[in-house]
Structure formats: structure tokens, C-alpha cells
């Protein structure tokens, strides 16, 4: 019981001195983050589970709810969970990345508390440090509309989350070692769907005995499918045999409802589709997530296969998988598909006013950053990844805490607005964002793999993308009317993507590639947004009472007594031990008295 997510509704603010809004409901979660031994692709390895689940539990909440998550770190290394796409209005203190938070030491617990202010949509959480996402620790976040705010489609008959992602049989500590040794991770060993390996669609390609995911549905219904790419570096083509995917939402915006027979989903991206179970169920149907923007013949084993099973199904899925796009030499197809995703300007999202009422196309840009990534380079003998020639190195002291306690020299506010021309370097240079400014960021990908960029604290308008080098003239091609507002956007190799963002959320916010290997090697920075006039904690919430201290502020941190760390969790551990002992006694008894 202690482990289960406990939901309750509290109106008494008294219990919470924190940032809670009076009257808005609270959702409580008690999580144990721990290793677990599983064999998703037939090879035993340690993955990261939450309350024994892999993927972790779904956080199912509603606009403006207050979320309280007590996280016990049962790993043997520091942990931080980040809430990808949750905007943490005025509250980068709960963002869960190294620039804002001290990591939770092994054996300690720490309680996140934040409000999902003015948001709806599909997001996910994951461990943000130490390459841990490669081992799991992730799960879905659903932010429902409040009852009074209409949704632009009929209420679906079910809500299904699929976490898809490339996967290695090596664990995250071994993968880290490879990157530290300057190696490339090479081709992944497969693709997992909800933590499981592929259905055996081909006896040569898939070994026997792999546990696969089955999605059970009723005929003649409509399901909302939320699909997240939680992988390391591979864009995946997602498709369901004989079914259309009606795209309706991406990362908090309702899109123009559009049917796709398949959609490219890059690392870190989230989409909602409506699936009509309108087929005759002559057999089960394949659900496929296959590697994209690589030589798909060579990458054949990097394919996730699950099964869609109607309740009246007449048999197993068989035969070849439905083919993905066949366009190795022509990547404009994928880009055109990405460009075709438009916001529905006339529907409301978290609020009743239409999504199109913020007319971003008529706002004057106040700051422009052209941010280029190159293929990894060697700097001071180490393989590193860069943005504008700078490879970010994490600080022992979170930048946010350094600001609050006036510790100088932790970072510099001089991130270049254009790529540096000199030799690449390692540094901690971040962007000086002007509060209430309107920033244009152009990501230029000079690497040979697709990158997806994500900004914490914000959603940005994706206004343009094209192959080649961005120039001032490229602005003429921008979509100034119904570009989708989201938080994660792909940048094709040899191409650029432009976004516009309104800097109205005070804090220090991570701007990173979601590709885990490039991120680990330094392909990130932060955007610092300060309201110089805020003297009364109005545009930013104060440091939470339970803040951890580390780095230059380590002396302010009290030890967490073993008693305080997750009492309930340790008592349930004791229960598990007691049960184990009983089981051993039982086995012994069976052995003695057969
Ligand atoms: C990862 O695997 C290596 C052996 O290849 C092992 O030494 C290490 O302890 C494992 N790490 C974790 C977190 O399980
Ligand atoms: C750790 O968990 C216990 C109970 O599970 C809770 O009382 C305590 O407040 C938590 N500590 C922190 C720092 O969140
Ligand atoms: C989420 O919670 C709502 C009630 O608030 C419920 O109707 C819905 O079925 C839940 N969704 C999932 C996926 O559990
Ligand atoms: C299984 O995959 C192998 C290797 O790609 C291929 O040669 C073979 O034709 C496939 N078998 C079937 C039954 O599709
Ligand atoms: C999408 O395809 C389904 C059939 O799978 C069809 O019923 C529906 O009308 C289509 N919707 C749109 C908006 O094209
Ligand atoms: C856009 O939203 C409106 C208002 O909710 C809805 O009626 C319409 O069907 C939506 N259009 C598309 C193409 O999704
Ligand atoms: C079911 O649909 C498939 C594909 O559309 C078709 O080939 C098959 O004949 C249908 N079976 C029945 C029993 O209607
Ligand atoms: C993909 O790899 C296969 C096998 O190495 C090769 O035959 C094929 O030419 C490659 N395809 C392209 C488009 O490069
Ligand atoms: C944008 O700038 C132009 C001049 O460059 C000015 O005329 C216009 O009023 C500005 N628009 C807004 C919304 O500030
Ligand atoms: C950061 O930008 C603000 C304007 O928003 C400016 O006043 C300040 O001097 C800048 N700081 C640095 C270090 O450039
Ligand atoms: C990277 O930049 C170089 C030099 O500007 C250019 O020749 C090359 O085509 C670019 N490669 C990609 C993948 O953008
Ligand atoms: C704002 O919050 C800080 C704690 O982060 C506190 O020290 C300060 O007194 C607060 N300022 C006001 C005016 O309330």
C-alpha cells in the first residue's frame, strides 16, 4: 500500500508551506527507484524500475493540480528525475536537472512538489543524470483537461501509453564507460516497446522466448494512444498494421486532426493518436517502431514489434511487417511530414481561449541565437559534443543555487549568438535570456545523425525547417500562423530548424539535445531568465524548504538520517525480507518432508 500512488484531495493549504495554489487538488506519489534484473532482448541486465515497474507508473493528473512525488533513491549512484515538458512555471527549483538541483544521494529520498499550471497533454519523466535513461526509470505523464474545458474530439474509449525507444544489452554504466573512453555506442541491439522486446515476427531475426507487449482492444471503439520516444539516439517510424493513426496532440498542443499511416518520432518526442478499431480482426495486428534516417537494411534488428489484439481476434499476427517509408536517398519525405503537423488555432487547450490567440507571427523578435552542433570532437584528449563550439561541463553547484547564494564564477553568461570560429572548448557558458523578450533560436545540425532539441520551462513555436544552411532569407519560409507549440523538435542531419519562444518564465532552464549520447558528451546549455524588478518572489517561487545543498554549498546540507529516508519503503522492504524468509523455510520444509 505504501508503494502505491496515493491520491487525495486537500483544500487545506496549512499542511503545505510550499508553492501550492489554494484550492487546486493534490496528487501524491510514493516512489522507490531501484535496479531490477530483466532480459528484455534475451540478455540479462540491470534496468531501473520505479516501484518494481518498468516503464514506471503513469502520472495521470489534470491541469493545475499540485503533484507531490516522494522519490527514494535505491540506486548506487546519485539520481534526479526530470519532468520533460512540464513547464514548472516560476519554479525551476523542481526541474530535476543538474543546473537547478543537487542530485539525490544514493539511499536518500527527496520530495518534488510542483503545479502543472495551465498545461494539458502527453509528456514523460526520466532520470536526467549519469546516462540512467538508457536503463529505464522513465514513465508517462498525462495532463487531462479540466472538465469545464472542451477537448476537440470525442472522449476516447480508452487511453493507452506506449514508451518506445532503442535499447542496448549493455547496462548504463558500461555504456557510460564506452563514451568516457571516446567510443561511439554503435548500433543499438533493438527497440523496446513498454520495456519489452519484439514479438517473434521472424524466427531468424528474433530469438525465442522474448516477452513482448500486447495491447488489448475491443472492436468498433476509439482509443487514445500516447507514444513517447524515450530511447537514446534513434528516430523511430511508428505504425500499426492496417490502421490509420489520427494525430490529435503533441506535447501539450492540439493539432489539426490528421491521419497518418506512419509517423517519424524522434528521441524525446511525444504524440497522441486516435486509433479506430475498425478492422475485421482476421488476425492480430503488428505495432511497429523501426529505426529511421539510417540504413534500415543494416539496422533491421533495431525494430520494436508489439501486438494489437482485438477481443474478437481470429489468430496471431504473421507474415512480413507493414513496410515503413522507403526513401533512403530522399529525406524530404520525413521533413515534409514533420512540417505538416499544425496546431489547431481555433480550439482551446488548458484554457478556453483558442490556441491561436497568441499571435506569435506578429511579435517582434528581440534576441536571435543560431546554435550549431558538429560531429563529436576531441578536446583536451576527451571526446566531446558541442553547441557553437562549446561543450558544456556540469557544475558541482547548481547554477540556480549559485545565483541565490551569490557564488561567483560558477558559470558565464556569454553563450555566443553565433557559432564560435576558434578551436572548440569545454566551458559553462549559458544564454542570457531577456525576461519578456521573444527569442528566435535556429538549430543547425552539422552532424550526420538527427538531433532533437528540448527546452525545459517552455513550449516553443516550431516555425521552420529545411536542408542546407540557414540564412536570413530563410525567415521568408517561416510558418507565422499555425506552427505547433511544443517542447521537443527534431533537426535533420545537414538541416536547420527554427523556433520562437516567449521568455515569460523566470528561472534557469536546460536547453539540450535529447540524444542521450550527445547530451552526455556536453551538447547542452542553459537559458537564464531573470526578472530584474522582482523583489517579492512574485515572478519566481522561493527556494523550497527541502532543497538539497551540494558543491560550494555542501556545508549547508544536513545528513539525512537513515531513519528519515523512506521509512515506509524500508518497512515494506522488511516485509519482503520476511516473506522471502518464509518462502525459504517453506522450501526447506518441502525438501525435508517431500
Ligand atoms: C553493468 O554491467 C557490468 C558488467 O558488464 C557490471 O560490472 C556493473 O556492475 C553493471 N552495472 C549495473 C548498474 O548493474
Ligand atoms: C522521505 O520519506 C519520508 C517518508 O516516506 C518522509 O516523511 C520524508 O519527508 C521524506 N524526506 C524528504 C527529504 O523528502
Ligand atoms: C486518468 O484519471 C482519470 C480520472 O481522473 C480517469 O478517468 C482516466 O481513466 C485515467 N487514465 C488513465 C490512463 O489511467
Ligand atoms: C526473416 O529475416 C531474414 C533476414 O532479414 C530474411 O532473410 C527472411 O526472409 C525473413 N523470413 C521471413 C519468413 O520473412
Ligand atoms: C482517419 O481515418 C479513419 C479510418 O481509419 C477515418 O474513419 C477518419 O474519418 C479519418 N479522419 C480524418 C480526419 O481524415
Ligand atoms: C479544431 O478544433 C475545433 C474546435 O474544437 C474542432 O471543432 C475541429 O474539429 C478541429 N479541427 C481539426 C482539423 O482537428
Ligand atoms: C479482413 O480484412 C482483410 C484486409 O482488409 C481482408 O483481406 C479479409 O478478406 C477480411 N476478412 C474477412 C473475414 O472479412
Ligand atoms: C544499406 O546497406 C546494405 C547492406 O550493407 C547495402 O547493400 C545498401 O546498399 C545500403 N543502402 C544504401 C541506400 O546505402
Ligand atoms: C515591431 O517592430 C516594428 C519596427 O521594426 C514596429 O513598427 C512595430 O510596431 C513592432 N511591433 C510590435 C508588436 O511591437
Ligand atoms: C543580460 O541581459 C540583460 C538584459 O536583459 C542585461 O541588462 C545584462 O547586462 C546582460 N548580462 C550580461 C552579463 O551580459
Ligand atoms: C558540415 O559543414 C561542412 C562545412 O561547412 C559542410 O561541408 C558539410 O556538408 C556539413 N555537413 C552536414 C551534415 O551538415
Ligand atoms: C523571497 O524568497 C527568499 C527565499 O528564497 C527569501 O529569502 C526572501 O525573503 C523572499 N523575499 C520576500 C520579499 O518575500
Amino acid at each position: 500500500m505504501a508503494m502505491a500512488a496515493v491520491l487525495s484531495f486537500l483544500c487545506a493549504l496549512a499542511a503545505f508551506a510550499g508553492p501550492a495554489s489554494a484550492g487546486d487538488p493534490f496528487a501524491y506519489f510514493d516512489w522507490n527507484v531501484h535496479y531490477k534484473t530483466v532480459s528484455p532482448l534475451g540478455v540479462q541486465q540491470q534496468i531501473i524500475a520505479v516501484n518494481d515497474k518498468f516503464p514506471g507508473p503513469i502520472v495521470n493528473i489534470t491541469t493545475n493540480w499540485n503533484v507531490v512525488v516522494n522519490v527514494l533513491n535505491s540506486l548506487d549512484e546519485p539520481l534526479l528525475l526530470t519532468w520533460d515538458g512540464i513547464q514548472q512555471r516560476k519554479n525551476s527549483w523542481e526541474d530535476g536537472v543538474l543546473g537547478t538541483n543537487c542530485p539525490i544521494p544514493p539511499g536518500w529520498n527527496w520530495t518534488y512538489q510542483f503545479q502543472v499550471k495551465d498545461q494539458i497533454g502527453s509528456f514523460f519523466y526520466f532520470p536526467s543524470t549519469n546516462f540512467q535513461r538508457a536503463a529505464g526509470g522513465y514513465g508517462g505523464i498525462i495532463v487531462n483537461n479540466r472538465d469545464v474545458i472542451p477537448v476537440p474530439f470525442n472522449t476516447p474509449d480508452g487511453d493507452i501509453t506506449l514508451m518506445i525507444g532503442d535499447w542496448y544489452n549493455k547496462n548504463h554504466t558500461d555504456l557510460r564507460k564506452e563514451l568516457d573512453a571516446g567510443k561511439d555506442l554503435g548500433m543499438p541491439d533493438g527497440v523496446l516497446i513498454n520495456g519489452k522486446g519484439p514479438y517473434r515476427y521472424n524466427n531468424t531475426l528474433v530469438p525465442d522466448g522474448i516477452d513482448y507487449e500486447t495491447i488489448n482492444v475491443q472492436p468498433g471503439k476509439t482509443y487514445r494512444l500516447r507514444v513517447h520516444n524515450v530511447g537514446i539516439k534513434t528516430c523511430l517510424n511508428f505504425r500499426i498494421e492496417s490502421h490509420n493513426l489520427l494525430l490529435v496532440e503533441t506535447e501539450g498542443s492540439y493539432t489539426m486532426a490528421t491521419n497518418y499511416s506512419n509517423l517519424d518520432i524522434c528521441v524525446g518526442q511525444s504524440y497522441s493518436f486516435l486509433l479506430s478499431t475498425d478492422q475485421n480482426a482476421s488476425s492480430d495486428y503488428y505495432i511497429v517502431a523501426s529505426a529511421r534516417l539510417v540504413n534500415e537494411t543494416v539496422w533491421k534488428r533495431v525494430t520494436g514489434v508489439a501486438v494489437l489484439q482485438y477481443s474478437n481476434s481470429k489468430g496471431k499476427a504473421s507474415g512480413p511487417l507493414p513496410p515503413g517509408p522507403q526513401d533512403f536517398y530522399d529525406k524530404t519525405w520525413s521533413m515534409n511530414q514533420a512540417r505538416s503537423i499544425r496546431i489547431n488555432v481555433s480550439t482551446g487547450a488548458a484554457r478556453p481561449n483558442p490556441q491561436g490567440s497568441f499571435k506569435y507571427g506578429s511579435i517582434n523578435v528581440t534576441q536571435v541565437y543560431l546554435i550549431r552542433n558538429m560531429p563529436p570532437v576531441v578536446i583536451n584528449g576527451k571526446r566531446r559534443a558541442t553547441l557553437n563550439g562549446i561543450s558544456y561541463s556540469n557544475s558541482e553547484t547548481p547554477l540556480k543555487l549559485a545565483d541565490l547564494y551569490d557564488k561567483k564564477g560558477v558559470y558565464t553568461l556569454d553563450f555566443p549568438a553565433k557559432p564560435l570560429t576558434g578551436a572548440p572548448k569545454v566551458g559553462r557558458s549559458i544564454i542570457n535570456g531577456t525576461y519578456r523578450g521573444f527569442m528566435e533560436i535556429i538549430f543547425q545540425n552539422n552532424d550526420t545523425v538527427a538531433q532533437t532539441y528540448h527546452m525545459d520551462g517552455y513550449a516553443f513555436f516550431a516555425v521552420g525547417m529545411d536542408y542546407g544552411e540557414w540564412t536570413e532569407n530563410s525567415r521568408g519560409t517561416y510558418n507565422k500562423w499555425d506552427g505547433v507549440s511544443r517542447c521537443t523538435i527534431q533537426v535533420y542531419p545537414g538541416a536547420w530548424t527554427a523556433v520562437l519562444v516567449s521568455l515569460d518564465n523566470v528561472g534557469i532552464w536546460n536547453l539540450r539535445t535529447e540524444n542521450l549520447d550527445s547530451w552526455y558528451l556536453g551538447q547542452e546549455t542553459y537559458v537564464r531568465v531573470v526578472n530584474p524588478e522582482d523583489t517579492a518572489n512574485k515572478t519566481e517561487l522561493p527556494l523550497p524548504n527541502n532543497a538539497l545543498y551540494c558543491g560550494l554549498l555542501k556545508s549547508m546540507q544536513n545528513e539525512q538520517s537513515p531513519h528519515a529516508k523512506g521509512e515506509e519503503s524500508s518497512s515494506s522492504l522488511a516485509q519482503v525480507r520476511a516473506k522471502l524468509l518464509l518462502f525459504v523455510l517453506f522450501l526447506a520444509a518441502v525438501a525435508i518432508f517431500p
Side-chain angles (χ1 to χ4, degrees), residues 251 266 269 338 443 451-454 460 462 464-465 484 486-491 497-499:
E251 296 157 18
C266 290
Q269 295 189 305
F443 298 104
Q451 301 283 326
T452 31
Y453 285 95
H454 174 91
F460 44 59
M465 53 173 75
V484 72
R486 60 186 308 171
C487 56
T488 311
I489 192 75
Q490 70 267 55
V491 190
T497 295
V499 304

Side-chain angles (χ1 to χ4, degrees), residues 242-246 257-260 274-276 278-279:
S242 302
H243 289 77
N244 270 334
L245 299 166
L246 184 65
T258 311
N259 269 323
Y260 292 91
L274 296 185
L275 174 76
S276 302
D278 53 8
Q279 296 301 301

Side-chain angles (χ1 to χ4, degrees), residues 45-46 62 113 142 247 256 280 300 339 379 431 452 505 539 550 558 582:
Q45 63 192 135
Q46 292 234 69
T62 298
Q113 182 174 330
I142 297 173
L247 177 68
M256 293 299 281
N280 63 21
K300 209 161 203 167
R339 284 174 175 146
I379 310 176
I431 294 177
T452 31
N505 193 14
T539 47
C550 54
N558 297 322
L582 280 178

Side-chain angles (χ1 to χ4, degrees), residues 257-322:
T258 311
N259 269 323
Y260 292 91
S261 53
N262 62 80
L263 192 82
D264 290 342
I265 306 179
C266 290
V267 178
Q269 295 189 305
S270 301
Y271 289 99
S272 287
F273 305 102
L274 296 185
L275 174 76
S276 302
T277 46
D278 53 8
Q279 296 301 301
N280 63 21
S282 53
S283 71
D284 294 345
Y285 300 95
Y286 292 126
I287 300 175
V288 184
S290 60
R292 193 71 171 104
L293 310 173
V294 290
N295 184 336
E296 286 142 37
T297 312
V298 179
W299 284 56
K300 209 161 203 167
R301 73 160 190 254
V302 188
T303 299
V305 185
V307 163
L308 181 73
Q309 185 168 69
Y310 283 44
S311 56
N312 59 340
S313 171
K314 292 174 199 75
K316 286 187 167 299
S318 62
L321 299 179

Side-chain angles (χ1 to χ4, degrees), residues 358 360 363-367 434 436-441 443 455-463 486 498-505 511 527 529:
F358 186 79
Y360 69 87
I363 302 173
N364 287 336
V365 166
T366 58
Q367 288 180 284
T434 307
R436 298 221 155 116
F438 198 58
M439 188 183 274
E440 176 184 19
I441 307 175
F443 298 104
M455 188 170 179
D456 283 359
Y458 290 94
F460 44 59
F461 293 92
V463 294
R486 60 186 308 171
V499 304
L500 298 174
V501 55
S502 173
L503 299 181
D504 59 356
N505 193 14
L511 179 65
V527 181
V529 182

